[in-house]
């Protein structure tokens, strides 16, 4: 009996290897990512495949916001494959580096696999330049699995292909169950994912995995200013919940007025959709002479006023998460006082998850 | 009375500002870091000020180890200043980048302040090139404080100067109490600090702060192979405790034999000094077909044999920390399956701290 099992296993390996093997790079079958399930787009099907805002936003939102909407933060490709190896090749929009964030986060790819009812990290694609081709993972058991590949946080793509050995299965992942709505995150570089080590460690990505929901990242580095035009665009989205986290970019703009506008437009156009307002945790570096805690900033005070005013109208659908709860007391969770490291993003996700679960009735 | 206090405070501010102010960059007084308290060196006072091994190690340890000993991992300058601003200028040994680690960790500086009985993060020095000059922090209250500046994890320095406005105090921090011994860490890139976002987030640095002890980082990226020559050098150090974490680099070398040699030499030359052996946590990416947990590697099995053999001779001074306890179950704490992010380093520190406290009798 045991001998038969061994023989059977060996035959199975031979057969499956025979139908899906790569002995030279030319045998890889490359599939355009846009033919798979591209997720994290609020406005799918526009002319630019990896952009976060719709074509008509150009000229309507500030130029810098439009430009940043070409960064792929939060976009992910979900697909099914039975291959023992996954290859990727990607072309970046332009060379771009920052001295406080790893290139893997800025321009890399990040692969997860659905396992044991959740998502487990699998492999990272480390970029070497504008053109990249990598074997992400090999030696996997030959069985059908669902994979999710996150795209670069601070760069755009002009090409993304996923490769498997000829004869292996690769197809779009199943659609979400009918009626599934995404979590929509709006805000600053912190929402966009600066300075995560990998695209999957931006906090909207972590929370999307934890809650197993699609996640739309509308973080715009330095430009999360809650302009009325941006508020109107947000209200176009049929979200499960809106997470509004723009304050660190709003020091020079009328916070209360803009948050009021945003809340009004969301309540009018998306009645019944919960909204979570996120305070700023301030700068975690050594506080200057004022003696104020870093999170006690005037932008927080202004948003609290907007929240208090709106709250009675929202019937429990409006939540405020306080800045002091977002990061650790040790002040070790940012790289520069402002941008979370993976430690900071993990803590941000921990801090926001209960508010999200409550808003989603889970 | 209150009016008097206000007047007195104002006068104090005027006076102290008057004696320690910078209105133009030329008024900064630059102090060579080597004239302050340079810490984290096992062999201080050698000819090369920022090197981690003694001159005589050249040609004795493998060339690559010697070369890596020029990286400043774990070195720190401790000093006292009453300045409201701290400037730094530093010259790197060479341009060097990696695509999975931020330049702030590779080549940056990282400033902490002693506060409330511990160390609190203050500011990071972001490198722009080989030559750098930065204002790290400003606006601090004018009072005497102890500061600690960590040096680059993966680069060397040919110059490091700390600047304060002319007239401000800057002097070496007080020496440690008589008899204070350092924690000595030996190992791989993980010990050296790859891929921390800032020098202060390498796990030997975190643990040095938590235990408030000097910390010597002898991590050699890709080259923590426990050569007998390296073991002999380690045994020269009068450590509070040795933390031995080389396994991820020892796949191709005789682990049991080398760990046996190291333990023998430490027991002979440093009787009474506790030793903590750290297993490898393996590769945290998706496990391949073997089905083994990532930490169940043959290097761990070999080290466990050496540990079991040596244990009866050590009278409780020898500890083994298991690989499965080191990182999280979520496998989210590395950038590439091997190198911890700040989340991973925080978890590594959490995992090792109890063993260190026990070894140190705290």
């Amino acid at each position: 009996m045991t001998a038969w099992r061994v023989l059977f296993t060996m035959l199975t390996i031979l057969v499956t290897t025979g139908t899906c093997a790569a002995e030279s790079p030319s045998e890889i079958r490359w599939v355009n990512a846009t033919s798979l399930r591209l997720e994290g787009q609020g406005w799918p099907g526009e002319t630019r495949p990896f952009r976060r805002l719709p074509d008509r936003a150009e000229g309507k939102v500030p130029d810098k916001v439009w430009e940043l909407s070409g960064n792929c933060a939060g976009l992910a490709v979900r697909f099914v494959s039975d291959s023992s190896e996954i290859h990727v090749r990607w072309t970046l929009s332009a060379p771009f580096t920052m001295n406080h964030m790893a290139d893997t986060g800025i321009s890399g790819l990040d692969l997860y696999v659905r396992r044991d009812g959740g998502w487990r990290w699998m492999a990272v694609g480390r970029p070497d330049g504008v053109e990249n081709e990598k074997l992400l993972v090999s030696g996997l058991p030959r069985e059908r699995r669902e994979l999710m590949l996150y795209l670069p946080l601070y760069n755009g793509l002009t090409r993304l292909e996923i490769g498997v050995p000829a004869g292996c299965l690769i197809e779009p992942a199943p659609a979400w169950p009918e009626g599934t709505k995404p979590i929509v995150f709006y805000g600053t570089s912190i929402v966009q994912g600066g300075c995560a080590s990998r695209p999957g460690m931006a906090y909207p990505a972590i929370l999307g995995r934890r809650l197993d929901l699609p996640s739309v990242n509308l973080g715009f580095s330095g430009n999360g200013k809650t302009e009325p035009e941006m508020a109107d665009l947000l209200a176009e989205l049929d979200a499960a919940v809106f997470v509004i986290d723009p304050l660190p970019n709003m020091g020079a703009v009328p916070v209360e007025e803009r948050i009021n506008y945003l809340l009004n437009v969301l309540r009018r156009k998306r009645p019944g959709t919960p909204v979570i307002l996120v305070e700023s945790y301030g700068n975690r570096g050594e506080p200057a002479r004022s003696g104020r805690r870093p999170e006690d900033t005037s932008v927080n005070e202004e948003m609290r006023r907007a929240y208090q005013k709106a709250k009675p109208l929202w019937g429990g659908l409006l939540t405020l998460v306080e800045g002091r709860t977002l990061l650790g007391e040790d002040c070790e969770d940012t790289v520069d006082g402002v941008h979370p490291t993976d430690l900071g993003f993990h803590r941000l996700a921990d801090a926001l998850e209960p508010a999200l679960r409550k808003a989603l009735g889970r």
Side-chain angles (χ1 to χ4, degrees), chain A residues 60-82:
Chain A
K60 188 174 169 187
V61 297
D63 291 348
K64 190 69 191 163
V65 171
W66 174 249
E67 187 189 311
L68 287 163
S69 76
N71 292 177
C72 296
L75 304 191
V77 181
R78 235 180 2 107
F79 61 103
V80 166
S81 177
D82 65 354

Side-chain angles (χ1 to χ4, degrees), chain A residues 3-40:
Chain A
W4 275 109
R5 287 183 73 111
V6 170
L7 186 62
F8 178 72
T9 307
M10 284 175 70
L11 281 170
T12 310
I13 290 170
L14 281 169
V15 169
T16 52
T17 309
T19 58
C20 164
E23 273 149 28
S24 75
S26 60
E27 291 180 64
I28 302 296
R29 180 162 67 101
W30 292 102
V31 173
N32 194 322
T34 54
S35 73
L36 300 169
R37 189 168 298 280
L38 184 59
E39 294 206 333

